[in-house]
Amino acid sequence: MICRAKSLTFSCSRGFRWNTLLSYSRGANRFAAVEDEDSGRKRTEEKDGGRVYLHKSRGQHILTNPRILDSIVRKAEIRPTDTILEIGPGTGNLTLKLLEAANKVVAVEIDKRMVEILHNRVTDCKLDDRLTVISQDALKTQFPQFDLCIANIPYGISSPLVVKLLFGGHSFRSATLLLQKEFARRLLAKPGDSEYNRLAVNVQLVATVEFVMDVSKRDFVPCPKVDSSVVKIRPKSEIPDVDLEEWRAFSRTCFSKKNKTLGAIFKLKRKVQELSRRLCNEPPGARREINNAYDGEDEGDDEGEGDEDCGDFMDTGSLKEKIVAILRAGGFESKRPSKLSVEEMLHLLSLFNQAGIYFHTHR
């Protein structure tokens, strides 16, 4: 049976209602949501009555509004020669549209039930020769080469996945992502905004983020608790000449307490002691490193590390004086990370490096 919604055509099963769900399969004819994916009873019911259970704990919310799907594809600016990376395709509502517009789609899906449904739909549409499915965890698998990433990302992996895309050595034109609205606002935040945080700083160092559109929670099955937004992330053709690992460690330190002044953050007694111990324990000639665990405000010291005397390492008092001198010289002592631009953060990092203080071991 062929169902038509305005100018769109979809393959679907009997009993289909387009405004509720874009039907997807052979055999299965409706969705049901479950809260507890570990329930043995509910795992059995997945095979009964032609129903497929969607696990909210896995972020399985299927986008069903055809107008939104079309808008995402249009805004992504797909070329006929492109290879698309899609994370979490689910039942393939977006995948089918991507296959019609691009040369190839590589879909990463961990749920084998969804993989089977996806294969069935794509085969029915005779597009299976252009689809590659990787049935693995998107955070653990190695992505192949791709031109664009277009995806409705499970909310629970949004942050690590964005970091993986931008800092994983991938070369691509853009990523058009459907994200939780609150998370999207954090990516779009500017210095001084309440949502501005370390993720925004790290992303904006290497990419530009553009707002595309908001998406209502009513456009999903099952309906999530929050609305969503689509953003488009474009990697910069040129990025500052900075070690990215050191940058991320440095931003982690600064944003450990983003509303405190930098002077207060860097003068915490136990943090200076931790830095002093690490300087003491480094091999001769190695560059200085500030511990990446510099996240909490007042964490306890690690016992049994760095208690021995060193011949020429800097004591905590001298180290604190050096840090304060750097902050004062650059006019940063009274400034707060939540109000610093990427350019100001880069300048402060360069001042630390010039003084021989590094935030990541350069081996």
Side-chain angles (χ1 to χ4, degrees):
M1 177 181 177
I2 301 297
C3 292
R4 297 183 181 273
K6 296 189 176 180
S7 61
L8 306 173
T9 302
F10 307 99
S11 297
C12 58
S13 58
R14 296 185 184 278
F16 170 75
R17 294 177 59 194
W18 79 269
N19 62 336
T20 301
L21 171 68
L22 296 183
S23 186
Y24 56 84
S25 72
R26 308 162 176 165
N29 55 33
R30 61 188 175 123
F31 287 126
V34 296
E35 298 286 352
D36 183 4
E37 66 183 51
D38 296 322
S39 168
R41 180 181 60 84
K42 289 173 180 174
R43 284 201 298 270
T44 301
E45 287 179 353
E46 288 172 5
K47 300 179 181 179
D48 297 337
R51 293 189 290 182
V52 171
Y53 281 81
L54 299 174
H55 299 290
K56 291 184 179 180
S57 60
R58 296 179 184 173
Q60 291 180 336
H61 300 278
I62 306 299
L63 179 62
T64 61
N65 188 327
R67 293 186 295 274
I68 299 297
L69 291 164
D70 282 340
S71 295
I72 291 173
V73 173
R74 185 173 62 254
K75 295 290 186 179
E77 301 177 293
I78 301 172
R79 300 172 186 171
T81 57
D82 281 339
T83 295
I84 309 297
L85 175 69
E86 184 184 11
I87 310 297
T91 60
N93 289 345
L94 179 59
T95 312
L96 289 176
K97 294 183 176 294
L98 297 177
L99 287 168
E100 293 173 358
N103 178 55
K104 183 179 180 182
V105 173
V106 178
V108 183
E109 175 59 66
I110 194 173
D111 191 331
K112 297 187 183 301
R113 304 169 308 148
M114 299 299 173
V115 172
E116 181 180 359
I117 294 169
L118 182 61
H119 274 306
N120 288 341
R121 288 192 74 184
V122 172
T123 299
D124 286 345
C125 295
K126 303 186 186 305
L127 295 170
D128 49 302
D129 60 325
R130 291 158 60 184
L131 174 69
T132 299
V133 179
I134 301 175
S135 185
Q136 296 181 27
D137 186 334
L139 296 179
K140 297 178 181 178
T141 189
Q142 180 67 36
F143 295 151
Q145 181 62 39
F146 61 95
D147 300 296
L148 301 173
C149 178
I150 306 172
N152 172 18
I153 296 179
Y155 292 164
I157 65 170
S158 297
S159 182
L161 188 56
V162 168
V163 170
K164 179 174 181 176
L165 287 171
L166 292 177
F167 292 90
H170 307 291
S171 177
F172 58 97
R173 291 204 314 277
S174 68
T176 303
L177 306 178
L178 180 58
L179 304 163
Q180 184 176 343
K181 188 174 183 178
E182 181 181 353
F183 182 81
R185 290 177 63 181
R186 290 167 57 196
L187 291 179
L188 293 161
K190 303 300 181 184
D193 293 346
S194 60
E195 298 90 353
Y196 191 64
N197 64 354
R198 182 167 65 95
L199 177 66
V201 168
N202 287 341
V203 169
Q204 292 170 23
L205 174 75
V206 298
T208 59
V209 185
E210 171 191 346
F211 171 79
V212 177
M213 61 182 170
D214 288 326
V215 180
S216 170
K217 59 187 176 183
R218 294 186 295 274
D219 292 322
F220 295 86
V221 173
C223 181
K225 295 180 179 180
V226 296
D227 292 325
S228 300
S229 296
V230 178
V231 300
K232 192 169 187 177
I233 303 174
R234 291 186 177 91
K236 294 179 179 178
S237 57
E238 296 183 5
I239 62 174
D241 184 18
V242 61
D243 182 279
L244 294 181
E245 290 298 324
E246 178 165 26
W247 168 265
R248 290 173 62 187
F250 171 66
S251 66
R252 183 184 297 114
T253 301
C254 292
F255 279 85
S256 60
K257 295 292 180 181
K258 69 173 186 177
N259 292 316
K260 284 184 173 290
T261 65
L262 289 166
I265 293 170
F266 280 95
K267 287 189 290 186
L268 289 171
K269 179 178 179 181
R270 292 187 178 180
K271 299 309 178 182
V272 177
Q273 290 176 338
E274 177 65 25
L275 174 57
S276 178
R277 289 200 301 271
R278 294 189 68 82
L279 294 178
C280 173
N281 291 333
E282 276 196 336
R287 287 181 173 183
R288 308 305 201 237
E289 176 185 6
I290 291 183
N291 185 9
N292 284 354
Y294 219 52
D295 289 353
E297 179 181 2
D298 194 26
E299 297 171 348
D301 295 335
D302 294 329
E303 296 181 2
E305 293 186 9
D307 293 331
E308 69 276 14
D309 292 332
C310 295
D312 57 357
F313 83 100
M314 188 177 299
D315 62 54
T316 57
S318 299
L319 180 56
K320 180 183 289 188
E321 291 177 2
K322 187 173 185 179
I323 292 173
V324 172
I326 294 170
L327 294 174
R328 286 177 178 169
F332 288 101
E333 186 180 16
S334 61
K335 292 186 176 181
R336 305 175 192 277
S338 59
K339 298 183 182 297
L340 293 183
S341 67
V342 170
E343 291 72 22
E344 289 174 310
M345 295 276 292
L346 285 168
H347 179 52
L348 177 57
L349 177 59
S350 70
L351 293 179
F352 276 112
N353 289 171
Q354 291 168 18
I357 297 177
Y358 292 82
F359 291 74
H360 183 263
T361 303
H362 298 62
R363 303 295 187 187

